[in-house]
Amino acid sequence: MTTKSAAAATRATVYGYPRQGRNRELKKAIEGYWKGRVTADTLRETAAELRRSNWRQLADAGIHEVPTGDFSYYDHVLDTTVMVGAVPERHRAAVEAGETDGYFAMARGTQEVAPLEMTKWFDTNYHYLVPELGPDTAFAADSTKQVAEFKEALAQGLTARPVLVGPVTYLLLAKPAPGVPADFEPLTLLDRLLPVYAEVLADLRAAGAEWVQLDEPALVQDRSPAELNAAERAYHELGARTDRPKLLVASYFDRLGDALPVLAKAPVEGLALDFTEAAAANLEDLAALGGVPGKRLVAGVVNGRNIWINDLQKSLATLGTLLGLADRVDIAASCSLLHVPLDAAAERDIEPQILRWLAFARQKTTEIATLAKGLAQGTDTIAAELAANRADLVSRSGSPITHDPDVRARAEAVTAADSRRSQPYAERAVAQRAHLGLPLLPTTTIGSFPQTSELRTARADLRAGRIDTAGYEERIKAEIQEVISFQEKTGIDVLVHGEPERNDMVQYFAEQLTGYLATQHGWVQSYGTRYVRPPILAGDISRPEPMTVRWTSYAQSLSDRPVKGMLTGPVTMLAWSFVRDDQPLGDTARQVALALREEVTDLEAAGTSVIQVDEPALRETLPLRAADRADYLAWATEAFRLTSAGVRPDTQIHTHMCYAEFGDIVQAIDDLDADVISLEAARSHMQVARELADHGYPREAGPGVYDIHSPRVPSTEEAVELLRTGLKAIPAERLWVNPDCGLKTRAWSETRASLEHLVAAARTVRRELPAS
């Protein structure tokens, strides 16, 4: 039982909510606006209705305090850039001509102007747009969006709390603007930025805000004394003002560590901390500190990043401990619910008993409200919920889905030799060059080609029974023929089949492996209007039959040039799924690797000479704290090698990574022992090429020269300049020419022109090379 004071104080809240709507209405409205089929007014009306719907759902679930400002057309960090007036100079004319079009120009670019760089939000698969700052950056407050959305919530009779990216995190996420020296540190702009935040906070208070949340997730990473001092200075300055609302400083994804005492001493009224397993040390550290007396503590005890039901009894025990460590304890998810799908109840194809193991955003809000009620009024008031929760947890732990003796025996039999190639790279490279006969600066693409409306319609028609399997496969064959023919005519050296049969690079494989569950409506935002349906990795993994051999072999039959086999690697299969939390990740990765190893072996036996095993999530999944990274990188790189090491020396193994900070993992990239790696590099101006060179990376690499996340068609001259930059870091005999990433989201018109320019650039630069 709890005290009356706890009962009076406890609130249920969340930090953010899925933006897209039940049927991805936001995606459809934005893309319609881009194509000129939806007006700006209609787009705004759609967005406003989605916000109202979200707030109604939260209030109906028992959430006492709803967030505002978390909603975004594209990205909340880009919204912050607008809020503080840090629009890059090259985009100012577009923003001044029209706020909405200018906003999207920063996100996507135009034919004339490049977009902002995009990278992963901490260790998630969400992408944010990187602020570009320099010593001449002049900030100016624009609280229009933040105030308007707060007032919308008030108009519905709700208690609302605006949520902003905090000033320290904003600067730590920023990069030097183009033309600014690379050693410029955006954090030096803090004193210039704080008055802008103070003005926004004052505007929100004037609008009626009692509390404002400032998100500082960057403080859960290893931070220098200077960075911690900046955080201390920021919150002392903001806290000292009298024209502000109460401040709730939020952190998530990991433990605060040395930043906890800094924030605990700051003159702010509340802290929000992650108390899930990933940040369990926060509880111990908070107790050692003596708690945060006099402050509001928002306890993130419901995992906001995964879809498994909460252990309510365990969470109540944590909350009971926290009651003595703060003036008031409120309950929340560990982070924004942006990272999970909207509603598990919409899933009709998952077995009902298994569905009871799952909690999407709507179910998580119910869990939060249940915990708040139990903490405030006593566990007797939620006895039925606790009993049902316990039964569901027991059902999951005892299910045969989660334990396959044959899979476990095979994983336990793995030896170190299984993850080593039979020859070192230098010897393999000679064999591969002789076997493949490729020119210097060979050209290729990353895998997928445009997923046309005709392809999506064919897939939908097959599901609905409007066409049979034979008719669908004829459509796939025709698409592969078109993709192969185009690549041959364009002059690409190593071809791909275009992946027309694949709905998603993870889901496609998950649907063919045991132990995975697929959803129909489990959409999660990756970036902008790009949504994915992460599969659910629920049990032990095995491969019943080949997954890619048929279509890869068909494509190879159409050309004398090598056609790459395309697989998604084991780390990415975990990272872009909702992965089981009842065993170590390394054990699950090994199971996936063994299943993929069978596929690699079958591809090689079918005559595939180049096999790409994509690992774009290797950097994304890197633990936020350096002390936790060695163990992760050990099992992650071992899983990749286990997947790929069983091939002959003359079979070339590729991998691919994109939209991350690669400098942190160059040694791990080396440890993969892939023969060729392709990486995103166009938006970052070949930064990764320099990082590979500084490391002394000895293998082949293709830093991307075509930014596929923008509708821009890069000119031949642009690609030539990027290749010349790449050659300063990587010698011609080891440099490949390729786009940043797969082409699934691009239109055919953009793709044709861009790849023609890419091939022309490679030919131009080849002619510039000295004769051998």
Side-chain angles (χ1 to χ4, degrees), residues 82-133:
V82 174
M83 182 188 81
V84 301
V87 175
E89 183 61 36
R90 68 182 182 280
H91 289 291
R92 288 195 177 277
V95 171
E96 290 168 1
E99 290 182 3
T100 303
D101 288 345
Y103 177 90
F104 288 129
M106 287 189 283
R108 305 173 70 230
T110 66
Q111 188 56 43
E112 294 76 28
V113 182
L116 293 169
E117 182 181 341
M118 185 166 66
T119 195
K120 298 292 177 72
W121 175 251
F122 297 93
D123 56 350
T124 75
N125 189 35
Y126 178 82
H127 301 65
Y128 73 93
L129 289 156
V130 181
E132 296 177 358
L133 305 177

Side-chain angles (χ1 to χ4, degrees), residues 80 191 289 310 460 497 507 521 525 549 688 694 745 749-750 772:
T80 309
D191 291 337
L289 197 65
N310 184 261
H497 79 288
Q507 184 182 352
H521 304 284
Q525 187 180 19
V549 174
V688 69
D694 290 345
T745 61
S749 57
E750 302 160 10
S772 57

Side-chain angles (χ1 to χ4, degrees), residues 145-330:
K145 175 185 185 294
Q146 291 70 28
V147 170
E149 292 179 10
F150 173 70
K151 287 183 175 179
E152 287 177 18
L154 290 189
Q156 288 194 264
L158 301 171
T159 300
R161 183 186 70 253
V163 178
L164 311 176
V165 175
V168 178
T169 289
Y170 179 76
L171 293 176
L172 289 172
L173 293 178
K175 284 188 171 182
V180 173
D183 60 355
F184 173 75
E185 295 184 6
L187 194 59
T188 59
L189 301 175
L190 181 63
D191 291 337
R192 198 181 303 175
L193 181 63
L194 289 176
V196 173
Y197 267 82
E199 185 175 341
V200 172
L201 292 171
D203 290 346
L204 288 167
R205 180 185 177 182
E210 179 187 8
W211 287 87
V212 169
Q213 178 176 320
L214 292 163
D215 284 358
E216 293 287 8
L219 296 181
V220 306
Q221 297 173 296
D222 296 317
R223 290 298 166 199
S224 68
E227 290 166 338
L228 292 173
N229 180 64
E232 179 180 19
R233 195 169 78 253
Y235 284 99
H236 274 274
E237 180 169 331
L238 292 176
R241 297 184 68 98
T242 59
D243 58 344
R244 64 171 178 83
K246 296 176 183 177
L247 300 182
L248 176 70
V249 182
S251 64
Y252 36 82
F253 299 148
D254 210 319
R255 60 195 182 275
L256 266 176
D258 291 340
L260 178 58
V262 172
L263 296 179
K265 295 174 185 175
V268 299
E269 288 75 16
L271 297 181
L273 274 66
D274 186 343
F275 291 103
T276 60
E277 186 173 348
N282 271 337
L283 180 58
E284 181 180 336
D285 293 346
L286 190 65
L289 197 65
V292 282
K295 292 188 189 295
R296 175 189 186 187
L297 177 65
V298 179
V301 293
V302 172
N303 193 323
R305 298 182 57 178
N306 214 326
I307 45 70
W308 304 109
I309 57 172
N310 184 261
D311 185 333
L312 297 179
Q313 199 66 59
K314 183 178 178 181
S315 292
L316 284 168
T318 298
L319 292 165
T321 301
L322 292 173
L323 282 176
L325 297 175
D327 183 58
R328 181 175 108 202
V329 176
D330 292 335

Side-chain angles (χ1 to χ4, degrees), residues 64-86:
H64 304 113
E65 185 182 47
V66 301
T68 68
D70 60 300
F71 185 90
S72 179
Y73 284 138
Y74 206 97
D75 167 47
H76 56 279
V77 180
L78 179 59
D79 295 344
T80 309
T81 292
V82 174
M83 182 188 81
V84 301

Side-chain angles (χ1 to χ4, degrees), residues 729-764:
I730 302 170
E733 62 270 19
R734 291 197 282 111
L735 184 66
W736 284 65
V737 184
N738 46 259
D740 276 346
C741 200
L743 302 167
K744 176 181 178 179
T745 61
R746 299 270 53 89
W748 257 109
S749 57
E750 302 160 10
T751 297
R752 287 191 183 95
S754 297
L755 292 181
E756 288 166 356
H757 295 172
L758 181 150
V759 171
R763 290 170 174 163
T764 296

Side-chain angles (χ1 to χ4, degrees), residues 3 5 45 257 281 288 385 411 460 534 634 694:
T3 66
S5 60
E45 290 166 5
E385 290 92 336
D694 290 345

